Every structure is written in structure tokens, then in C-alpha cells.
Amino acid sequence: MLKVSNLECVRGERSLFKDVNFSLEAGELLQVNGPNGSGKTSLLRMLCGLARPAHGEIRWLGDNIRSLDEDYYNSITYLGHLNGVKDNLNAIENLRISSALAGNGIDESTAYASLQKMGLIGREILPVKVLSQGQRRRVTLARLLVSDTVLWILDEPLVALDTSAVLLVKGILEQHLEKGGMVVMTTHQDINIAAIETKRLQLN
Amino acid sequence: MFLWVIQRDLLLAMRQRSDVLTTLFFFIIVVSLFPLGVGPEINMLRSMAPGVVWVAALLASMLSLERMFSSDYLDGTLEQMMLSPQPLILLVLGKALAHWMVTGVPLVLISPILGFQFDLQTDALLVLAVSLLLGTPVLSLIGAIGAALTLGLRGGGVLVSLLVLPLYIPVLIFGAGAVEAVSAGLGASAHLSLLGAFLLLSLVLAPWATAAALRISIE
């Protein structure tokens, strides 16, 4: 479904990576590995169309994502290393607004239920700015629980999370893969997510 | 989606009221300084009133332009908006309208009271408010282009003014011109029609230009 061919990323004068090829089918997981500065984030930003590749192309269901544009965004969820939550809003407002902007409006009880799963109850009406780094990350990750997209592109989703939250996220990802979803993720942590097939891409 | 963006930005403005109040008080103070500095010569005050109020409105709406996209850019919510399945143009239009509601509408409402300081007649006060009502949305829409182009740049605030102020000139000329025409006993309808035309033109073109600028800035 997702097919990447001869992808090249250039930053300034330096080529970060080139000739990156892979394809991803339903239920498959792609784990992108590599040292700091090897272009993992740049690769993920290209995959979701925020950055333009210097060379090569990314195809979704056979069409270049450049030509799909907004249709493609119906099929993906991207969580970057910025949390994408507003400090002055509380967790419920943040979750409802970001889901609505992603084209998938939810009501307050659904938002409450997914925040409960993420272990944030009791703090759901506090402005996010008073929460800890890990709790903010949980608010961000709660979006995955309410998302109905096929392809998840996750940039270091486990950063700042404690062990119980890491297990929780692992469970969410496995459930998504089981339902035929696809995940592209980077992480420095050693976790083993069960998938039909786990592919690894090493950047250096 | 469009309504969600407006609702979100208004909610954020409510939570952080100081941003809204700074713009309003800046406008009030700048306008009030002129009668104090120039002295109580009534005819002079009357003739300079439209220009003073309009220039102050331009500067006040500039003040908050930088924040239109930069806070969303810094916390990653702008990225998420750009990945929304809805057209980016709609989203940008929503943000510009929310910016106008927060910074433009209060200026329109307070302008008749400030006009009293310059001894403007009732009909001139009314036209002043109407010209601001038509003109301030144009300021927000054009300003959005500048804010999007300078997103993430150091010293973006100064650069925004250099980019955007020249584009404000036609609005200033016809906005202040409308009030002067009424004070001189001529009708303001020609000036106001032109302001309305600017508004329609910028409603169509500015969101499109802003969306293109955002795509470049975020890369």
C-alpha cells in the first residue's frame, strides 16, 4: 500500500540518506533505526508530506502522495516529536480539537474514555501546561485511541513515558496492526511489537 | 472544521486575555496621545482624526500578527493542522477570521468613543466605525500572509511590518478618506464601496497565498 522508491534527503549540502526503498502492507510494522542526525525525522516528515524529498517518490495505493494531498491525510496519523497540544487548554479540549481537525470529531464521553485508558483521569480538566512531560505525551498518544486512519507515522512515541505507559502504547500499536493497520515508527527503546511482519530500516 | 478552528482560537484568546487587551489598550493609548500632544485646537484635531485612528488601528493589528501562527508552529499544532484532510485554505481563513474577532472587532467597537476626543460629528463617527468594520478584516487577511512568510525566522516581528505595512496603504487611504469625505460634506459611499471591494478581493486571494506560504515555511 505504501511504497517508497529511491528516496533521497538533502540538508544544506549534505546528503543525509539516499536510495531508501521499502514497501509496507496491511498489518506490517516498519521500525526506522539510526543514530542521532541520520535523518529519521526527515524521513517521517517526507512520508507524511510535510517535507519534499530531494529525489525519489512515495506512493500510497499506487498514487504519488503529492498528487493525493488531502485525500492522503484521511489515511494517516502523524505524531511528531512536538506534542501538538495547546498549553492553555485541558486534555479533553486538546483531544477533541485535534480529532476534529483530523476530520474525526468525537464527543466528550469518547474523549473522556480514551483519556481514562491513558491513565489521565483526575487531570483531564487541568490545563496541559501544569502536567509533566510524560503526561503530556500521554495526552498526545490518546489521539491514537480515537483515530480511524490506516497508516500511523510515529516519531519517538515512547519518549518521556514510564514503563507502564510504554506497555500501554505497545498494546495500542499491536491492536492497530492486528486490525490491518500499518505503523512506521522510530524509537531508541528496545521493545518488541508483535506484527505480521516487522521490517527494519537502518539509516546511517 | 472551519468553525472548530475559530472556536479553538477564540477559546485560546479567552484563556490568555492579556494578548487581546494589549492590542486594545495600545490602540486606545496611541489615539489618546495625539490630542494631548497636539493641543486643543479643534479644527486641527478634527481634520487629523481619521488618519490618526486609522494609523493606530494598523499598528495595533500588526502587534498581534506574529502570534497568529508562531505559537501553533512552536508547539506542533500547526503541523497537525496541515495534515488535516480539510483544505488548508479554509483553515487559514478560519485563523484569520479568529484573529480579526479578537483584535479587529474590539477596535471597531471602541472607535466611536475615541472619535469623541477629536470632536468628530455623529455621522463621521458612524462612518469611522463602518470603515474600520470593512477595513480591519482586510488587515488580518493580508497580515496572515506576512505572518506565514516569516514563520520561524529570527526577528520575524520586524520583518512582518516591513512586508505588510506597504500592503496596508490602500486600506489606510480609503479608510481614512471615507471619514474625511463625510466631514467635508461629501458622501462616503465611494470610499466604503472600495473598502468592500478590497475585503472581497482579500477574502479570495489572501487565504490562498497564506496557505502557499505556510507550506514553504513548514518544510
Side-chain angles (χ1 to χ4, degrees):
Chain A
M1 291 173 93
L2 181 73
K3 189 163 170 47
V4 167
S5 40
N6 299 322
L7 209 62
E8 179 173 10
C9 170
V10 178
R11 277 278 169 273
E13 312 235 303
R14 230 157 52 88
S15 169
L16 280 182
F17 55 76
K18 60 180 176 186
D19 295 333
V20 167
N21 293 288
F22 63 84
S23 65
L24 210 59
E25 295 297 326
E28 292 182 346
L29 164 78
L30 176 75
Q31 211 165 327
V32 183
N33 300 318
N36 297 134
S38 57
K40 298 188 293 295
T41 296
S42 303
L43 175 66
L44 296 197
R45 287 174 64 85
M46 280 178 190
L47 287 183
C48 58
L50 284 172
R52 213 179 275 260
H55 192 76
E57 58 181 12
I58 303 159
R59 286 179 176 274
W60 175 251
L61 301 172
D63 292 311
N64 194 317
I65 61 164
R66 283 278 153 198
S67 61
L68 287 172
D69 228 14
E70 274 123 12
D71 291 335
Y72 178 54
Y73 298 149
N74 263 324
S75 329
I76 66 163
T77 297
Y78 169 68
L79 300 186
H81 58 130
L82 292 170
N83 279 328
V85 293
K86 294 306 281 184
D87 276 351
N88 284 322
L89 302 181
N90 66 38
I92 289 195
E93 288 163 342
N94 264 308
L95 185 57
R96 288 194 67 200
I97 289 172
S98 52
S99 312
L101 292 180
N104 174 36
I106 53 170
D107 56 19
E108 200 162 327
S109 56
T110 315
Y112 187 88
S114 42
L115 289 172
Q116 192 167 29
K117 262 190 210 152
M118 293 308 296
L120 285 163
I121 287 316
R123 295 170 189 83
E124 79 276 11
I125 51 161
L126 294 174
V128 169
K129 67 179 164 199
V130 303
L131 300 185
S132 76
Q133 201 59 38
Q135 286 171 327
R136 284 188 209 197
R137 200 65 192 165
R138 286 175 185 234
V139 176
T140 309
L141 289 164
R143 278 187 49 209
L144 293 179
L145 287 170
V146 294
S147 112
D148 58 356
T149 54
V150 184
L151 174 61
W152 290 358
I153 301 173
L154 313 173
D155 195 355
E156 299 281 352
L158 306 177
V159 137
L161 293 180
D162 57 23
T163 33
S164 68
V166 169
L167 285 177
L168 201 61
V169 174
K170 182 172 180 266
I172 297 171
L173 295 183
E174 281 172 352
Q175 208 177 5
H176 178 63
L177 290 165
E178 210 169 281
K179 281 189 302 186
M182 292 177 259
V183 176
V184 178
M185 68 184 283
T186 63
T187 181
H188 289 291
Q189 296 199 27
D190 216 11
I191 60 166
N192 225 335
I193 298 167
I196 292 178
E197 191 181 340
T198 302
K199 297 183 172 172
R200 280 172 208 282
L201 178 70
Q202 183 70 33
L203 299 177
N204 37 40
Chain B
M1 152 82 180
F2 177 64
L3 294 176
W4 270 104
V5 175
I6 297 183
Q7 201 186 337
R8 162 187 183 273
D9 279 19
L10 292 182
L11 189 62
L12 283 169
M14 285 286 290
R15 295 279 157 86
Q16 202 153 19
R17 255 168 256 139
S18 61
D19 286 357
V20 184
L21 293 177
T22 332
T23 315
L24 185 60
F25 278 104
F26 177 83
F27 179 64
I28 295 174
I29 288 175
V30 170
V31 174
S32 309
L33 285 178
F34 278 85
L36 296 175
V38 175
E41 173 61 52
I42 279 191
N43 282 330
M44 190 158 71
L45 283 179
R46 247 186 231 156
S47 66
M48 65 188 269
V52 168
V53 173
W54 259 97
V55 170
L58 297 193
L59 296 177
S61 99
M62 292 264 344
L63 263 190
S64 51
L65 271 188
E66 210 198 334
R67 279 195 303 270
M68 199 192 286
F69 296 114
S70 69
S71 68
D72 290 349
Y73 175 66
L74 291 177
D75 60 24
T77 45
L78 185 63
E79 234 170 41
Q80 294 295 342
M81 286 191 200
M82 299 194 57
L83 295 178
S84 159
Q86 315 286 332
L88 186 57
I89 292 180
L90 267 187
L91 198 144
V92 164
L93 189 64
K95 283 200 73 80
L97 281 184
H99 178 263
W100 172 68
M101 287 181 199
V102 168
T103 63
V105 174
L107 305 193
V108 176
L109 296 177
I110 200 113
S111 63
I113 300 169
L114 294 178
F116 269 125
Q117 296 184 92
F118 295 87
D119 195 44
L120 285 181
Q121 303 303 314
T122 326
D123 51 349
L125 286 177
L126 190 71
V127 170
L128 178 66
V130 172
S131 71
L132 282 170
L133 186 66
L134 288 172
T136 43
V138 184
L139 304 184
S140 295
L141 285 162
I142 294 179
I145 307 175
L149 278 174
T150 55
L151 195 63
L153 299 183
R154 218 183 311 158
V158 184
L159 202 54
V160 163
S161 17
L162 291 179
L163 276 174
V164 158
L165 279 178
L167 296 173
Y168 281 176
I169 293 173
V171 186
L172 172 68
I173 291 175
F174 291 104
V179 187
E180 275 155 24
V182 169
S183 303
L186 306 163
S189 59
H191 288 95
L192 293 180
S193 311
L194 275 168
L195 274 182
F198 285 144
L199 176 56
L200 291 179
L201 197 66
S202 53
L203 268 176
V204 175
L205 295 182
W208 173 78
T210 311
L214 278 181
R215 287 219 172 86
I216 297 169
S217 296
I218 207 121
E219 232 176 68

